[in-house]
Amino acid sequence: MPVSELISAQRIQRRVGELGSLITADYAGVGKLVVIGVLKGAFMFTADLVRSLQVPCSIEFIRATSYGNEMQSSGEVTITHQPDIAGQEVLLVEDLIDTGLTVNTIVEEFWKLGPASLKVCALLDKPSARKYPAEADYFGFEIPDTFVVGYGIDHAERFRELPFIGTVD
Ligand code: IMP
Ligand code: MG
């Protein structure tokens, strides 16, 4: 399955640096930020993003699955564990907002846990694919409604290791 490059590793790294600066400025003076990456897709983005933040943080991961091995969402989201975020400043880190179902579900569940604040940082945004209300407070790149892989994002568990984002044919 050939992969064509859509966003180079260099562009990703540059943008992650910019996001880190933006987020650092917004949380200046905050004692501690809880960064919550959504596995597996956001593992690489989360690891790079926290390295470009100059805010003390703790790092959590949750797992949310909606896709299985299909290229289309199953329409149901399961969240594995809910970290203790009561009274905390929380930044949810996602790989990609597509229909919006995953982020919408997680954000709704997380607000019930009483965080002091909750924001979303997504590497990629496909606004034309949106079916559920979901917004990223920070996002890396807007992309068209095409299936992408790489930089943590898979197709049937393949291509996560690529340092760039590409499309599969
Ligand atoms: P949503 O719930 O429809 O917004 O989908 C979000 C999740 O679906 C993302 O976190 C990805 O794991 C997965 N996903 C959506 N679009 C793609 C894609 O183009 N490639 C791989 N995974 C995708
Ligand atoms: Mg995901």
Side-chain angles (χ1 to χ4, degrees):
M1 216 184 291
V3 178
S4 334
E5 185 173 284
L6 184 67
I7 306 170
S8 71
Q10 268 175 324
R11 278 183 72 201
I12 295 171
Q13 292 311 320
R14 202 179 321 130
R15 188 66 185 133
V16 169
E18 290 169 1
L19 289 172
S21 302
L22 273 174
I23 296 168
T24 298
D26 287 355
Y27 288 91
V30 163
K32 195 195 86 186
L33 181 62
V34 183
V35 176
I36 305 181
V38 183
L39 294 173
K40 297 177 193 172
F43 85 94
M44 210 177 268
F45 180 41
T46 306
D48 282 342
L49 185 67
V50 293
R51 276 180 280 190
S52 76
L53 288 181
Q54 270 146 43
V55 184
C57 24
S58 63
I59 300 157
E60 298 275 346
F61 287 97
I62 59 166
R63 201 151 176 208
T65 40
S66 65
Y67 262 63
N69 284 343
E70 305 302 318
M71 282 203 183
Q72 279 219 322
S73 175
S74 64
E76 228 177 89
V77 176
T78 322
I79 306 171
T80 47
H81 90 286
Q82 307 202 324
D84 183 15
I85 55 170
Q88 306 285 314
E89 317 286 340
V90 178
L91 181 67
L92 183 75
V93 180
E94 247 292 35
D95 53 357
L96 202 158
I97 307 182
D98 184 33
T99 66
L101 178 65
T102 307
V103 163
N104 180 280
T105 307
I106 297 170
V107 165
E108 221 164 75
E109 289 303 308
F110 274 15
W111 273 122
K112 294 181 194 161
L113 304 174
S117 72
L118 173 57
K119 285 190 181 184
V120 176
C121 178
L123 178 68
L124 303 176
D125 190 7
K126 291 185 192 172
S128 60
R130 206 72 95 247
K131 290 185 191 146
Y132 304 86
E135 286 284 340
D137 298 280
Y138 309 97
F139 70 90
F141 302 93
E142 202 174 289
I143 59 166
D145 188 6
T146 48
F147 198 84
V148 293
V149 296
Y151 196 66
I153 302 168
D154 76 310
H155 172 241
E157 295 305 325
R158 286 194 55 203
F159 309 118
R160 291 194 198 274
E161 73 280 13
L162 299 177
F164 58 88
I165 305 271
T167 52
V168 283
D169 314 309

